[in-house]
Each structure stands twice: as structure tokens, then as C-alpha cells.
Amino acid sequence: MNAEKCLHILREIKDTAFATVDENGLPQIRIIDIMLAEKETVYFCTARGKDFYQQLLRNDSVAVTGLNKDVQMVRLHGQVRKLTAQKKWIDRIFEDNPSMNTVYPGESRYILEAFCIDNGTIEFFDLGHTPIVRKWFTLGTTTASSKGFVISDACIECGTCERCCPQQCIVDFSIDQEHCLHCGLCLEKCPVGAIQRKGV
């Protein structure tokens, strides 16, 4: 798995949930089609009259989530970039997504504006695999922040965390981050408070 494969999963899902904030700072979410995915970039479009369009212009930060039939989730958080050469991109999107012609026939397609996301972070979470698999990737110039839990030097090696972990991803008093649910059960059960949340 890598960043490009994750973006292709979003393209295969196509109907993904996009989260933005409105003019009052309130969360908004809607289903938006991923129209293209190539070279660690995803492309989508929206009409200029939509609230979604105005929200993208006000704040270029979005979160995108999709879940496929294999129970693989891809979550993308990134910065949206409005593309230049809009007519070219809209024509390309319609070429790769011919069903769009029934929604926006003829010249009406040019009410749409094309955007891309090529800078951000990706989380891949496979719940269809045992144990679960979690991976992180970055796009563009974004740097990854550390998430999850870690066992500190305060550990007394009592084994409580190993016994309570639902994915059995704690071995020899070390957490295998790739299989961790981030549920926090080990944090709550540790009798000496040796488990810490990363990135806090």
C-alpha cells in the first residue's frame, strides 16, 4: 500500500464524503465524486452556485473519507487547489466520467469548476484484515504527525496491556502501530500510567 494506491481506492469508491466548514464555522459534509486519481493527486469538481464551492474558496482545508466493499477506509486531509485551464479539466473529467453528461448536458458543464488535492495526509485503515491494518502517508510537502499510543520507560512489565489489547498488537511491551485500533484500552488499564498518547 502507498499514497497513490490509497487515492485510487477513493477513485474506485467514487462517492466519497467531503467535510468543510461553513461561514459560521459549523461542520458541513456531503457526497462528492472523485473524478480522477493520478500521480498522487485526486480531482473533483463542483458548481459555482453551490455552498460547497464557496466554502472551498473561503477555506482550502478539507477532509475526505471513503469506505469500500472490502471494509478498507481511506481518509484524506489536505489542501484544495483550484485548477487553471478550467475548460480543459472539465472536458477531461467528463471524458472519464460520461455519466456527467446527463447531469450537465452540453455547455452547462462549464458551470462546474475543477479542483485537486495534492498536498495532505492519508490514513489507510483495513478492518477486513485480521489483525486490522493501519498505515499513514503524506502528499506533497505535508509532514506526518505522530498518532496512537506508546509505552514509556515507566512500564513495570506487568503484562496488563498485552492481555487487554483487542488486536493483540502489544508484544514485549511495545505497540505495533500498524495493527493498533487507537481504542485507548491499554491507556485506561495500565496500573502505573506508563502508556502515553502520541502527539500530545
Side-chain angles (χ1 to χ4, degrees):
M1 189 57 60
N2 58 31
E4 189 168 358
K5 287 180 182 176
C6 287
L7 297 184
H8 280 284
I9 289 174
L10 288 178
R11 167 62 178 154
E12 289 166 6
I13 295 167
K14 195 171 182 181
D15 300 322
T16 59
F18 268 67
T20 57
V21 293
D22 65 17
E23 65 277 9
N24 298 312
L26 297 173
Q28 300 294 324
I29 194 162
R30 79 284 295 153
I31 300 299
I32 298 291
D33 288 351
I34 298 293
M35 297 296 188
L36 304 166
E38 53 191 31
K39 297 180 181 176
E40 294 195 2
T41 304
V42 289
Y43 299 84
F44 64 96
C45 60
T46 190
R48 290 187 294 274
K50 292 186 180 285
D51 290 343
F52 179 47
Y53 178 80
Q54 299 302 320
Q55 290 161 15
L56 294 175
L57 295 184
R58 277 194 300 272
N59 184 340
D60 67 355
S61 184
V62 298
V64 183
T65 302
L67 181 72
N68 68 14
K69 60 181 178 55
D70 297 320
V71 203
Q72 294 174 323
M73 184 272 296
V74 175
R75 184 168 56 183
L76 166 63
H77 177 266
Q79 279 67 52
V80 167
R81 182 165 55 86
K82 187 176 174 183
L83 298 168
T84 57
Q86 280 289 323
K87 187 176 186 298
K88 179 193 87 168
W89 280 105
I90 293 301
D91 287 344
R92 167 83 191 283
I93 284 170
F94 273 64
E95 181 182 327
D96 281 37
N97 300 272
S99 63
M100 290 292 291
N101 286 293
T102 60
V103 182
Y104 291 97
E107 296 288 306
S108 70
R109 70 173 64 178
Y110 300 119
I111 190 63
L112 298 168
E113 299 274 341
F115 294 83
C116 75
I117 305 171
D118 58 4
N119 199 37
T121 58
I122 298 171
E123 180 182 5
F124 172 77
F125 191 34
D126 188 347
L127 282 166
H129 188 273
T130 303
I132 63 95
V133 175
R134 183 192 299 272
K135 294 180 181 280
W136 294 269
F137 308 98
T138 59
L139 296 175
T141 60
T142 302
T143 56
S145 60
S146 188
K147 295 181 180 179
F149 299 90
V150 64
I151 300 173
S152 74
D153 291 340
C155 177
I156 60 172
E157 299 187 1
C158 67
T160 300
C161 59
E162 292 184 3
R163 289 189 297 275
C164 76
C165 177
Q167 289 295 305
Q168 300 299 295
C169 71
I170 302 175
V171 178
D172 295 330
F173 313 104
S174 177
I175 300 172
D176 183 345
Q177 301 298 325
E178 188 171 314
H179 302 299
C180 180
L181 281 170
H182 294 181
C183 68
L185 187 57
C186 60
L187 175 76
E188 291 185 4
K189 295 288 187 181
C190 180
V192 294
I195 297 176
Q196 301 169 348
R197 187 184 301 273
K198 294 166 70 176
V200 175

